[in-house]
Amino acid sequence: MSSLFNGGISVSLFGESHGKGIGVILDNLPAGIEIDLDKIGEFMARRAPKKDGTSTMRNEKDIPEILSGLYEGKTTGTPLCAVIMNTDQHSKDYGNIAHIARPAHADYTGYLRYNGANDPRGGGHFSGRITAPLVFAGAVCSQILESKGITTGAHIVSIKDVCDERFDPVTVNAEQLNAVKKRSFPALTDDAEARMREIINAAREGLDSVGGIVECAAVGFPAGIGSPMMDGLENVISRLVFAIPAVKGIEFGNGFDCTQLFGSENNDEFVIVDDNIMTRTNNHGGILGGISSGMPIIFRAAFKPTPSISRPQKSVDFKTMTEEELIIKGRHDPCVVARAVPCVESALNIALVSALMTHPNI
Amino acid sequence: MSSLFNGGISVSLFGESHGKGIGVILDNLPAGIEIDLDKIGEFMARRAPKKDGTSTMRNEKDIPEILSGLYEGKTTGTPLCAVIMNTDQHSKDYGNIAHIARPAHADYTGYLRYNGANDPRGGGHFSGRITAPLVFAGAVCSQILESKGITTGAHIVSIKDVCDERFDPVTVNAEQLNAVKKRSFPALTDDAEARMREIINAAREGLDSVGGIVECAAVGFPAGIGSPMMDGLENVISRLVFAIPAVKGIEFGNGFDCTQLFGSENNDEFVIVDDNIMTRTNNHGGILGGISSGMPIIFRAAFKPTPSISRPQKSVDFKTMTEEELIIKGRHDPCVVARAVPCVESALNIALVSALMTHPNI
Amino acid sequence: MSSLFNGGISVSLFGESHGKGIGVILDNLPAGIEIDLDKIGEFMARRAPKKDGTSTMRNEKDIPEILSGLYEGKTTGTPLCAVIMNTDQHSKDYGNIAHIARPAHADYTGYLRYNGANDPRGGGHFSGRITAPLVFAGAVCSQILESKGITTGAHIVSIKDVCDERFDPVTVNAEQLNAVKKRSFPALTDDAEARMREIINAAREGLDSVGGIVECAAVGFPAGIGSPMMDGLENVISRLVFAIPAVKGIEFGNGFDCTQLFGSENNDEFVIVDDNIMTRTNNHGGILGGISSGMPIIFRAAFKPTPSISRPQKSVDFKTMTEEELIIKGRHDPCVVARAVPCVESALNIALVSALMTHPNI
Amino acid sequence: MSSLFNGGISVSLFGESHGKGIGVILDNLPAGIEIDLDKIGEFMARRAPKKDGTSTMRNEKDIPEILSGLYEGKTTGTPLCAVIMNTDQHSKDYGNIAHIARPAHADYTGYLRYNGANDPRGGGHFSGRITAPLVFAGAVCSQILESKGITTGAHIVSIKDVCDERFDPVTVNAEQLNAVKKRSFPALTDDAEARMREIINAAREGLDSVGGIVECAAVGFPAGIGSPMMDGLENVISRLVFAIPAVKGIEFGNGFDCTQLFGSENNDEFVIVDDNIMTRTNNHGGILGGISSGMPIIFRAAFKPTPSISRPQKSVDFKTMTEEELIIKGRHDPCVVARAVPCVESALNIALVSALMTHPNI
């Protein structure tokens, strides 16, 4: 089902970029978990457009209204629905490109898939805007995880060729994960932030865009949660991460780099620390056989440069079947990576709550 | 559900490495598709252990018996079940390591997940052996795709630091995809094969192991198939690829490399060629917004070095909670990547048939 | 998932009786189907409370606002969300019974299921009010079916021991099905209506309630749609019909009465009429082996008497574990059966569109 | 998916009446539950054909071979597969009727559904024979339930117009449920058995068949398990019960009879007995709002007379489109109801284990 995740919990997303509203239903959440709406606001604010030149000028307040599923401040366990009304729609900006396929966008493929009936304005349901309710869902799940002593967080590893440090996969902790959430730009270090801002600004000034890599981690997640084969944690996390537009790759633990090592280098030795089983290194990224090992869960996702750029591009009008030059007007992020950080966290949060809810009780 | 893929078709896998048998049920296949059992045998033979030193000496014939779903040589559309009886079980080889967690294996996490009740022999249900029925499923789906003019194929891009060429993402064709299937070692070039065999042999002689990267492609897949967000082609392919043990990462199109480009470099211009819409380049890997663009579908998956190595390793007995030295006996692949090639193809084949079966008919 | 139907289409319901709003997301609808909002209003009006004494005085206008999934009057194929804000909430009416289990209601079982965290006001998510978005979904599906030449309809067969005629299972047609929709009370005959109104009024005056049986049919549904075993039309219809509160039974074709016949009496002979295969009789109710036969689809559902009655009842406070006398205040239907008629139709409409969307395209 | 139940556990059935084998995969069973194979044999023997004239002479031993999922006598939690090889196939008996639709069978609808590619021999996948693996699954689930103190059982309430007593919905207990399992004919009383055998024999001698009603109950099932709306216990049980061929109706508690009562008569008062909350009566059948109340779960299912009768019948050859007289040869049950009793129990057992496995753990 296109916009439905149906695992231990279900997440059903809806909305189009320039429609009346967007939102989400979360079903089968654990009951009785206290939800702090201010914290949800803070979480969602990290996805909201920034006024510092690094993102679109679209000025949605994106305040979700919770219509159900919350009673006396706690989850009821029955479906929780949140709606965000679209209030700042400039659909006319998009009028002239309705049938000229924007390169690297889903205009053409969506048109084919829906026989031309999908809402084309601003990408319609394919818009990055639909990550707002995804992030709402992730914010709710974040609080469920916190209530169980689990913390997740993410940061930018790289923008184009500008790299920052990575989390230490063994020692990363809740404090570090929470610290990056308070930064206006989710890099780990000031130095990296400065260099990343620089390259994003250069891209904007060049009427161009850049992409990058987000790293995401969870600590405190209990060992023994997940499943082999089809519903392993990697399967579920990757399915959810690819729901975020612009993701082109995902890797767990040391990821593609594992192919550069011998087995004797890559295998993580088990050790006993304070009567707990751990691994000395964490190349495996906290998941073995689809099941959590108790070590930090770590993965990275690659985001392509924003497809919408202001430079003229060559393309095709798929209705008239003619080649055309395309000028994209409207508001665009020169780089979506900073705003994608809470999206990636949200995908992880949803996956982890879902896995906890499928863990058998008998 | 741990070993169930439930999309446009369902694939339900079962079996343990040293149990009585392994197999698969495929449900909701299109009816009336001719299935050539010899071709299935050839497909599965590509996954079978080789006698050239590159893989385990385990000598399973792995001939699947089809119990249902095939009538007069064609799919019935009702569930197709195939069973492979385990005939070459040496479970005693594994006796001494039952509760010493093999590093990078699921012994410990599986034990926790199933409260110690899972079959530990040879990894049980976590064994790479369960990819045999996955490959059977992929071989059936391969023929369904062929009947629609769609061809898939895969090859080894790299073993450790030994690299081969990649498919050309624009011009890759059925002939090339089929050619690699006939090679005894699935590299694109003889030169790469020689160097890859060399490093695998070196690893074996060093009682060690190596990993690598597999590249997989589909050509002839119609444009407009797939869905946005949760059930996009990337979501479904990645969910299936992570069902293969040892996969640590996946990337589509130019993948992580896209982060090194400006948007103006990464965007694929649409052009009209012979009255068809195509893109001049194919950085997007044939999928936009989760939906096929008509260009070749391309992705790569990273496989870690085989966890089972013959060197002594430090580990923990998770029943007695003592640190132990571990010597893994039994039969092991110094490199699983060659045998993983048809597994990756199978994941893609299942995903593509599933997507075709979800494409609405009204 | 508690309130999620996930078949060929998905229907995700949310809301509580006295929460902010209720609604539904419909995913994977066919794209490009024209939707007439006035017709949806008419359909939903049939479920709305009547002012003729047969139902609750609750005066919700229940006008759904469509937030997504509709563009230029047609379905987009991406998720369609509709929301109904709750505007006429008298939650204080329910204050005193929060923890005294209303007999035949889900107060006690819901409390256990959700560890006391569910919204108890007016039954919360268990309220019959959540059938409003179900009926919205059914109204949308009704128009999708109509666009394919398929008509569904329903009527009251009996209220307590007052019986009306049944549809003729062979000759029932679209005209008859549509005619009953225009009646203010969905009986087939004026005489039955009068007698049914009489017994409902008697129940109301006696501070009591009555139940009844609804019969539902579809004509024009093509033969060959459905699946054997788990996803047969009976399986899917019954799963959806039991989503309507107060349903206690369902039967297809001649239903329980089939047990009174010999096989030679019950079997429906196949005949050829105007070059089409039909059956002379229709005891089977249009479904054989879970798949449509081309004959009218017919089933009946039994609704229990409204649990909420104004008479004092004996019950238990499940928090204090004391036996108490209970007086239910607030607004109640002496009989829900008339308002249930469009709910049953909706369950059928959803099931039929879902079955059409799962019918393979290759 | 046609033959896949995918809830808290998954049950994937396969096989055709005259194919090589039939079977089932059960996924996500709780791990570590001891399974007694002899008890499974006893359970399945209740479904096997009887040699007393009441059922077909087909003489399958139906001994399932368990290929996976059981280790040292206990469930592993990973997929459990059982296969029954078909050994007594007389496919020639069916040769002449391949394309003449047997009345009340799925020959014609199955042909349409699968474009003529389905296996027509003996009904293929639509055969009642596929209930053998369903009963295997039910037998496994029965032992899982027993390990939690839950007992289920069923009996014949009526064959044609010959009626037996019903279970007392309040006092029915494990002893009664188990007692009927030991009878060679699953009636509650000797007297009813004698009269039922009489009418079955009369049907057989008249080259005819009869149907009947099965009543099924569970005791010891904990209160608070299930879900509102779509995944309530009634929804799941009915979905599974309609997977059994020949079922035409299902009702819970007092079922259709509830429509004859006033609300004040039908409502079950809550009372406290030995510090537990119970209801004085049990018209609701142990389920309120889709969730168990702690009272016995009770439902009844109606089975139509066996469609296969030896009398000549009028029908249609759907390939040649000609009306034909049909004589069904082969082996047929004059009444399937006795053999259906363990099938109905199995549907309940699967539903209850599934509901227990979806009950959240956090």
Side-chain angles (χ1 to χ4, degrees):
Chain A
M1 213 53 57
S2 69
S3 304
L4 172 66
F5 169 80
N6 191 17
I9 63 170
S10 76
V11 179
S12 191
L13 296 157
F14 71 88
E16 286 109 11
S17 178
H18 291 64
K20 279 200 192 165
I22 60 180
V24 63
I25 302 176
L26 287 158
D27 201 352
N28 208 37
L29 292 178
I33 308 288
E34 213 155 332
I35 299 296
D36 179 330
L37 298 182
D38 289 339
K39 277 191 177 173
I40 289 181
E42 289 165 24
F43 198 111
M44 295 190 71
R46 295 196 281 130
R47 195 208 71 96
K50 304 297 182 299
K51 301 198 171 170
D52 56 5
T54 62
S55 63
T56 169
M57 295 303 287
R58 181 162 172 164
N59 189 15
E60 300 267 0
K61 278 179 200 143
D62 284 352
I63 297 172
E65 184 173 13
I66 296 176
L67 300 184
S68 67
L70 213 60
Y71 178 63
E72 296 182 341
K74 292 179 181 168
T75 57
T76 59
T78 55
L80 191 161
C81 178
V83 168
I84 302 167
M85 298 308 284
N86 283 336
T87 54
D88 182 36
Q89 306 155 19
H90 294 198
S91 17
K92 283 178 195 161
D93 291 349
Y94 296 87
N96 68 325
I97 58 162
H99 300 110
I100 304 180
R102 292 172 301 165
H105 272 287
D107 301 333
Y108 170 57
T109 57
Y111 178 84
L112 292 176
R113 168 67 173 80
Y114 297 110
N115 304 317
N118 61 315
D119 181 346
R121 298 170 297 167
H125 187 59
F126 294 88
S127 166
R129 181 151 170 69
I130 317 307
T131 56
L134 182 75
V135 166
F136 171 85
V140 170
C141 289
S142 163
Q143 296 192 32
I144 294 168
L145 293 172
E146 286 287 351
S147 77
K148 310 291 170 193
I150 303 158
T151 304
T152 64
H155 71 106
I156 303 178
V157 171
S158 63
I159 298 289
K160 206 164 183 286
D161 49 0
V162 176
C163 295
D164 197 358
E165 294 168 11
R166 293 187 179 186
F167 289 138
D168 182 303
V170 173
T171 64
V172 60
N173 56 44
E175 203 179 334
Q176 288 174 313
L177 296 176
N178 287 329
V180 69
K181 293 172 191 164
K182 288 176 188 140
R183 297 179 65 99
S184 62
F185 186 93
L188 282 189
T189 63
D190 289 344
D191 169 62
E193 174 177 341
R195 289 180 293 125
M196 288 173 177
R197 284 185 182 275
E198 204 172 324
I199 198 160
I200 294 170
N201 281 329
R204 185 171 45 79
E205 285 161 13
L207 307 182
D208 216 327
S209 64
V210 285
I213 298 176
V214 171
E215 183 174 62
C216 189
V219 298
F221 195 71
I225 306 295
S227 278
M229 304 212 74
M230 297 297 181
D231 276 339
L233 292 176
E234 289 112 332
N235 309 251
V236 176
I237 293 169
S238 68
R239 186 182 167 201
L240 282 157
V241 166
F242 279 111
I244 307 168
V247 174
K248 297 302 290 180
I250 188 169
E251 58 176 15
F252 291 84
N254 57 355
F256 280 80
D257 287 350
C258 76
T259 66
Q260 300 299 319
L261 302 178
F262 282 113
S264 58
E265 298 166 317
N266 190 61
N267 285 357
D268 298 307
E269 282 180 6
F270 287 98
V271 290
I272 296 181
V273 178
D274 298 336
D275 292 333
N276 288 315
I277 295 177
M278 296 182 59
T279 56
R280 197 179 304 278
T281 49
N282 184 14
N283 292 323
H284 69 286
I287 305 170
L288 288 170
I291 299 168
S292 57
S293 69
M295 295 299 290
I297 293 171
I298 305 254
F299 68 94
R300 280 169 301 283
F303 286 81
K304 68 181 179 189
T306 319
S308 290
I309 55 177
S310 299
R311 293 188 185 191
Q313 297 180 86
K314 290 188 181 154
S315 187
V316 163
D317 183 311
F318 47 80
K319 276 195 129 169
T320 60
M321 289 297 281
T322 50
E323 300 193 345
E324 305 276 357
E325 190 177 81
L326 169 72
I327 310 260
I328 301 181
K329 292 178 185 168
R331 301 153 296 186
H332 316 295
D333 287 330
C335 179
V336 297
V337 184
R339 297 178 62 195
V341 162
C343 299
V344 175
E345 275 178 54
S346 293
L348 177 61
N349 293 344
I350 292 167
L352 295 185
V353 172
S354 184
L356 287 170
M357 291 299 283
T358 48
H359 197 65
N361 196 21
I362 66 170
Chain B
M1 210 53 57
S2 68
S3 304
L4 172 66
F5 169 79
N6 191 18
I9 63 171
S10 77
V11 179
S12 190
L13 296 157
F14 70 88
E16 286 109 12
S17 178
H18 291 64
K20 278 198 191 166
I22 60 180
V24 63
I25 302 176
L26 286 158
D27 201 352
N28 209 36
L29 292 178
I33 308 287
E34 212 154 334
I35 299 297
D36 180 329
L37 298 183
D38 289 340
K39 276 192 178 172
I40 288 182
E42 289 165 22
F43 197 111
M44 294 190 71
R46 295 195 282 129
R47 195 208 71 96
K50 304 298 182 300
K51 301 199 169 168
D52 56 5
T54 61
S55 63
T56 168
M57 294 302 288
R58 181 162 173 167
N59 189 15
E60 300 266 1
K61 277 178 200 143
D62 284 351
I63 297 171
E65 184 173 13
I66 296 176
L67 301 184
S68 67
L70 212 61
Y71 178 63
E72 296 182 340
K74 292 179 182 167
T75 56
T76 59
T78 55
L80 191 161
C81 178
V83 168
I84 302 167
M85 298 307 285
N86 282 336
T87 54
D88 181 36
Q89 305 155 18
H90 293 200
S91 17
K92 284 178 194 160
D93 292 350
Y94 295 87
N96 68 325
I97 58 162
H99 300 109
I100 304 180
R102 292 171 301 165
H105 272 287
D107 301 333
Y108 170 57
T109 57
Y111 178 84
L112 291 177
R113 168 67 173 79
Y114 297 111
N115 304 318
N118 61 315
D119 181 347
R121 297 169 298 167
H125 187 59
F126 294 88
S127 166
R129 182 153 169 68
I130 316 307
T131 57
L134 182 76
V135 166
F136 171 85
V140 170
C141 288
S142 163
Q143 296 192 32
I144 293 167
L145 294 172
E146 286 287 353
S147 78
K148 310 292 170 194
I150 303 158
T151 305
T152 64
H155 71 105
I156 304 178
V157 171
S158 63
I159 298 289
K160 205 163 183 289
D161 49 0
V162 175
C163 294
D164 197 358
E165 294 167 10
R166 294 187 178 186
F167 289 138
D168 182 303
V170 173
T171 64
V172 61
N173 56 44
E175 204 180 334
Q176 289 174 313
L177 296 176
N178 287 329
V180 70
K181 293 172 190 164
K182 287 176 188 139
R183 297 179 64 99
S184 62
F185 186 92
L188 281 189
T189 65
D190 290 343
D191 169 61
E193 172 176 344
R195 289 180 294 125
M196 287 173 177
R197 283 186 181 277
E198 205 173 323
I199 198 160
I200 294 170
N201 281 329
R204 186 172 46 79
E205 285 161 13
L207 308 182
D208 215 326
S209 65
V210 286
I213 298 176
V214 171
E215 183 175 63
C216 189
V219 299
F221 194 72
I225 307 295
S227 279
M229 304 214 71
M230 298 295 181
D231 276 339
L233 292 176
E234 289 113 333
N235 309 252
V236 176
I237 292 169
S238 68
R239 185 181 167 201
L240 281 158
V241 166
F242 279 111
I244 307 168
V247 174
K248 297 302 289 179
I250 188 168
E251 58 176 14
F252 292 83
N254 57 355
F256 280 81
D257 287 350
C258 76
T259 65
Q260 300 299 318
L261 302 177
F262 282 112
S264 58
E265 298 166 317
N266 189 61
N267 285 357
D268 299 308
E269 281 179 7
F270 287 98
V271 290
I272 295 182
V273 178
D274 298 337
D275 291 334
N276 288 314
I277 295 177
M278 295 182 59
T279 57
R280 199 179 303 277
T281 48
N282 185 14
N283 292 323
H284 69 286
I287 305 169
L288 288 170
I291 299 167
S292 57
S293 69
M295 294 301 289
I297 293 171
I298 304 254
F299 68 93
R300 281 169 301 284
F303 286 81
K304 69 181 178 188
T306 319
S308 290
I309 56 176
S310 299
R311 293 187 184 191
Q313 296 180 86
K314 290 189 181 153
S315 188
V316 163
D317 183 312
F318 46 79
K319 276 195 128 168
T320 61
M321 289 297 282
T322 50
E323 299 194 346
E324 305 275 355
E325 190 176 83
L326 169 73
I327 310 259
I328 300 180
K329 293 178 183 168
R331 302 152 296 186
H332 316 295
D333 286 330
C335 180
V336 297
V337 184
R339 298 177 62 196
V341 161
C343 299
V344 175
E345 275 177 54
S346 293
L348 177 61
N349 293 344
I350 292 166
L352 295 185
V353 172
S354 184
L356 287 170
M357 291 299 283
T358 48
H359 196 64
N361 196 22
I362 65 171
Chain C
M1 210 53 56
S2 69
S3 303
L4 172 66
F5 169 79
N6 191 17
I9 62 170
S10 76
V11 179
S12 190
L13 297 157
F14 71 88
E16 287 108 11
S17 178
H18 291 65
K20 277 199 192 164
I22 60 179
V24 63
I25 301 175
L26 287 158
D27 200 353
N28 209 36
L29 292 178
I33 308 288
E34 213 155 334
I35 299 297
D36 179 331
L37 298 182
D38 289 339
K39 277 192 177 174
I40 288 181
E42 288 166 23
F43 198 111
M44 294 189 72
R46 296 196 281 128
R47 195 208 72 95
K50 305 296 183 298
K51 302 199 171 167
D52 56 4
T54 61
S55 62
T56 168
M57 295 303 287
R58 180 162 173 165
N59 190 14
E60 300 266 1
K61 277 177 200 143
D62 283 351
I63 297 171
E65 184 173 14
I66 296 176
L67 300 184
S68 67
L70 212 61
Y71 178 63
E72 296 183 341
K74 293 180 181 168
T75 56
T76 59
T78 55
L80 191 161
C81 177
V83 168
I84 302 167
M85 299 308 284
N86 283 337
T87 54
D88 181 36
Q89 305 155 18
H90 293 200
S91 15
K92 284 180 194 160
D93 292 350
Y94 294 88
N96 68 325
I97 57 162
H99 300 110
I100 304 179
R102 291 171 301 163
H105 273 286
D107 301 333
Y108 170 58
T109 57
Y111 179 84
L112 292 176
R113 169 67 174 79
Y114 297 110
N115 304 318
N118 61 314
D119 181 346
R121 297 169 297 167
H125 187 59
F126 294 89
S127 166
R129 179 149 172 71
I130 317 306
T131 57
L134 182 76
V135 166
F136 171 84
V140 170
C141 289
S142 163
Q143 296 191 33
I144 293 168
L145 294 172
E146 286 288 352
S147 78
K148 310 291 169 192
I150 302 158
T151 305
T152 63
H155 71 106
I156 304 177
V157 172
S158 63
I159 298 289
K160 203 164 184 285
D161 49 359
V162 176
C163 294
D164 197 358
E165 293 167 12
R166 293 187 180 187
F167 290 137
D168 182 304
V170 173
T171 64
V172 60
N173 56 43
E175 204 180 334
Q176 289 174 313
L177 296 177
N178 286 329
V180 69
K181 293 172 192 166
K182 289 179 186 135
R183 297 179 64 100
S184 62
F185 186 94
L188 282 189
T189 64
D190 290 343
D191 169 60
E193 174 177 341
R195 290 179 292 125
M196 287 172 178
R197 284 186 181 275
E198 203 172 325
I199 198 160
I200 293 169
N201 282 329
R204 186 172 46 80
E205 284 162 12
L207 307 182
D208 215 327
S209 65
V210 286
I213 298 175
V214 171
E215 183 174 63
C216 189
V219 299
F221 194 72
I225 307 293
S227 279
M229 304 213 73
M230 297 296 181
D231 276 339
L233 292 176
E234 290 113 332
N235 308 252
V236 176
I237 294 169
S238 68
R239 184 181 168 202
L240 281 158
V241 166
F242 279 112
I244 308 167
V247 173
K248 297 302 289 180
I250 188 168
E251 58 176 14
F252 291 84
N254 57 356
F256 279 81
D257 287 350
C258 77
T259 66
Q260 300 298 319
L261 302 178
F262 282 113
S264 58
E265 298 166 318
N266 190 61
N267 285 357
D268 299 307
E269 283 180 5
F270 286 97
V271 291
I272 295 180
V273 178
D274 297 337
D275 291 333
N276 288 315
I277 294 177
M278 296 182 58
T279 57
R280 198 179 303 277
T281 49
N282 184 14
N283 292 322
H284 70 285
I287 305 169
L288 287 170
I291 299 167
S292 57
S293 70
M295 295 298 291
I297 292 172
I298 304 254
F299 69 92
R300 280 168 300 284
F303 286 81
K304 69 181 178 188
T306 319
S308 290
I309 56 176
S310 299
R311 294 188 185 191
Q313 297 180 85
K314 290 187 181 155
S315 188
V316 163
D317 183 311
F318 47 81
K319 275 196 129 170
T320 60
M321 289 297 282
T322 50
E323 299 194 345
E324 305 276 356
E325 190 177 80
L326 169 73
I327 309 259
I328 301 180
K329 292 178 184 167
R331 300 151 297 184
H332 316 294
D333 286 330
C335 180
V336 296
V337 184
R339 297 178 63 195
V341 161
C343 299
V344 175
E345 276 177 54
S346 293
L348 178 61
N349 293 345
I350 293 166
L352 295 185
V353 172
S354 184
L356 287 169
M357 290 299 283
T358 48
H359 197 64
N361 196 21
I362 66 171
Chain D
M1 210 53 56
S2 69
S3 303
L4 172 65
F5 169 80
N6 192 18
I9 62 171
S10 76
V11 179
S12 190
L13 296 158
F14 71 87
E16 286 109 12
S17 178
H18 291 63
K20 277 198 191 165
I22 61 180
V24 63
I25 301 175
L26 286 158
D27 200 352
N28 209 36
L29 292 179
I33 308 287
E34 213 155 334
I35 299 297
D36 179 330
L37 298 182
D38 289 339
K39 276 192 177 173
I40 288 181
E42 288 166 23
F43 197 111
M44 295 190 70
R46 295 195 281 128
R47 195 208 71 95
K50 304 298 182 299
K51 301 198 170 168
D52 57 5
T54 61
S55 63
T56 168
M57 295 303 287
R58 181 161 172 167
N59 189 16
E60 300 266 1
K61 277 178 200 142
D62 284 351
I63 297 172
E65 184 173 14
I66 296 175
L67 300 184
S68 68
L70 213 61
Y71 178 63
E72 297 183 340
K74 292 180 181 166
T75 55
T76 59
T78 55
L80 191 161
C81 177
V83 168
I84 302 167
M85 300 306 285
N86 282 337
T87 54
D88 182 37
Q89 304 155 17
H90 293 200
S91 17
K92 284 179 194 160
D93 291 351
Y94 295 87
N96 68 325
I97 57 162
H99 301 110
I100 305 179
R102 292 171 301 164
H105 273 286
D107 302 334
Y108 170 58
T109 57
Y111 178 85
L112 292 176
R113 168 66 174 79
Y114 297 110
N115 303 318
N118 61 316
D119 181 347
R121 298 170 297 167
H125 187 59
F126 294 89
S127 166
R129 180 151 171 68
I130 317 305
T131 57
L134 182 75
V135 166
F136 171 85
V140 170
C141 289
S142 163
Q143 296 191 32
I144 294 168
L145 294 172
E146 286 287 353
S147 78
K148 310 291 170 193
I150 302 159
T151 305
T152 64
H155 71 106
I156 304 177
V157 171
S158 63
I159 298 289
K160 205 165 184 284
D161 50 0
V162 176
C163 295
D164 197 358
E165 294 167 10
R166 292 187 180 187
F167 290 137
D168 182 303
V170 173
T171 64
V172 60
N173 56 44
E175 203 180 335
Q176 288 174 314
L177 296 176
N178 286 328
V180 70
K181 293 172 190 164
K182 289 179 185 135
R183 296 180 64 100
S184 62
F185 187 94
L188 282 189
T189 64
D190 290 342
D191 170 61
E193 173 175 343
R195 289 179 293 124
M196 287 173 177
R197 284 185 181 276
E198 204 172 326
I199 198 159
I200 294 170
N201 282 330
R204 186 172 45 81
E205 284 162 14
L207 307 181
D208 215 327
S209 65
V210 285
I213 298 174
V214 171
E215 184 175 61
C216 189
V219 298
F221 194 72
I225 307 294
S227 279
M229 304 213 73
M230 297 296 181
D231 276 339
L233 293 175
E234 290 113 332
N235 308 252
V236 176
I237 293 169
S238 68
R239 184 180 169 202
L240 282 157
V241 166
F242 279 111
I244 308 168
V247 173
K248 297 303 288 180
I250 189 168
E251 58 177 15
F252 291 83
N254 58 354
F256 279 80
D257 287 350
C258 76
T259 66
Q260 300 299 318
L261 302 177
F262 282 113
S264 58
E265 297 165 318
N266 190 60
N267 285 357
D268 299 307
E269 282 179 8
F270 287 97
V271 290
I272 295 181
V273 177
D274 298 338
D275 291 334
N276 288 315
I277 294 177
M278 297 181 59
T279 57
R280 197 179 303 278
T281 48
N282 184 14
N283 291 323
H284 69 286
I287 306 169
L288 288 170
I291 299 168
S292 57
S293 69
M295 295 299 291
I297 292 172
I298 304 254
F299 68 92
R300 282 169 299 285
F303 286 81
K304 69 182 177 187
T306 319
S308 289
I309 56 176
S310 299
R311 292 187 185 192
Q313 296 180 86
K314 289 187 181 154
S315 188
V316 163
D317 184 311
F318 47 80
K319 275 196 129 169
T320 60
M321 289 296 282
T322 50
E323 299 194 346
E324 304 277 355
E325 190 176 83
L326 169 73
I327 310 261
I328 301 179
K329 292 178 185 169
R331 301 152 297 186
H332 316 294
D333 286 330
C335 180
V336 297
V337 185
R339 297 178 62 196
V341 161
C343 299
V344 176
E345 275 177 54
S346 293
L348 178 61
N349 294 344
I350 293 166
L352 295 186
V353 172
S354 184
L356 287 170
M357 291 298 284
T358 48
H359 197 63
N361 196 21
I362 66 171

